[in-house]
Amino acid sequence: MAEELAIGSMSGSFDLVEKEISHTLEQAEASLDRFQENRDSEEDLKSCTDCLSQLRGIYTLIELQGGMILCEESLALLSQVQVGEAKENDPLLAALVQALFVLRRYADYFDKRREDHPELLLDAINRLRRLRQADPLPDSHFFVFESSALKIQSVSEPAPDVDDFDTRSRRLRHMYQVGLL
């Protein structure tokens, strides 16, 4: 119930800033395109940085964790881009263009599904981290382990019935064999 309320409030917050996200993404993409055409334009690089900072703030505000981390990684990579015709910029700029594309698709995904699945962005995040020579995030990074859901058997509770285990294991083995057929 609490999870549904959290998603509902996140969804309502997203509705309020959806146009701002789209507009800011367009500005970031345009600034990055202009910088790729004119690599001496420090103003376009700064404009893209400002747009990504704004996006990170929006995603933080509406609590879309995946978008926020992808923006942070994009900003970290963008800080390594040098003004000028350096060939080292090419893979960085290509990765940034792809990250902006993924951010737009993720915003569309959230708009349609109203579900936050930051694990979908893990590949894009790790691609940016590899370019920065940072350790990639593990596959379990967005997994939240709730220890309260784990029931620990106390010493005072009786041990599971061995006969029940034998019956269940035979039934499971039979289901497995049927599945193989």
Side-chain angles (χ1 to χ4, degrees):
M1 180 75 165
E3 187 176 312
E4 289 175 11
L5 288 174
I7 290 174
S9 67
M10 193 184 327
S11 175
S13 299
F14 183 81
D15 290 337
L16 295 173
V17 295
E18 180 180 8
K19 289 182 181 177
E20 185 63 30
I21 289 173
S22 178
H23 179 68
T24 307
L25 276 168
E26 287 173 11
Q27 285 181 324
E29 290 168 344
S31 296
L32 195 58
D33 286 343
R34 285 191 306 269
F35 179 75
Q36 284 182 322
E37 290 172 6
N38 180 12
R39 302 269 176 108
D40 293 323
S41 177
E42 190 171 342
E43 182 180 308
D44 289 326
L45 192 61
K46 171 115 175 66
S47 175
C48 186
T49 302
D50 292 343
C51 289
L52 281 171
S53 294
Q54 184 176 351
L55 281 170
R56 181 187 58 200
I58 291 171
Y59 284 126
T60 301
L61 180 70
I62 62 175
E63 298 176 352
L64 281 177
Q65 187 180 14
M68 178 185 63
I69 292 176
L70 186 55
C71 285
E72 288 172 357
E73 293 299 329
S74 297
L75 282 167
L77 189 65
L78 195 58
S79 69
Q80 293 182 351
V81 174
Q82 301 167 1
V83 175
E85 291 293 327
K87 289 293 179 191
E88 302 85 42
N89 286 345
D90 291 344
L92 303 179
L93 293 173
L96 287 167
V97 167
Q98 190 173 17
L100 288 173
F101 177 79
V102 169
L103 274 173
R104 180 174 297 283
R105 296 292 74 80
Y106 190 68
D108 291 343
Y109 169 81
F110 185 79
D111 184 35
K112 286 183 176 74
R113 300 287 301 269
R114 301 299 176 168
E115 295 175 359
D116 183 24
H117 291 288
E119 61 274 6
L120 296 174
L121 301 177
L122 194 58
D123 186 46
I125 292 168
N126 283 337
R127 190 175 308 117
L128 297 177
R129 290 181 66 85
R130 274 187 236 105
L131 283 170
R132 292 189 311 111
Q133 280 126 24
D135 292 333
L137 298 177
D139 290 342
S140 62
H141 180 76
F142 295 110
F143 177 73
V144 178
F145 177 72
E146 296 179 21
S147 61
S148 62
L150 181 64
K151 182 180 175 187
I152 300 175
Q153 184 178 2
S154 68
V155 177
S156 62
E157 290 182 23
D161 187 19
V162 174
D163 292 332
D164 186 45
F165 175 76
D166 286 341
T167 304
R168 286 181 186 238
S169 64
R170 275 188 251 119
R171 175 126 175 93
L172 285 172
R173 188 187 82 229
H174 177 73
M175 289 170 55
Y176 178 73
Q177 289 172 338
V178 169
L180 288 176
L181 292 175

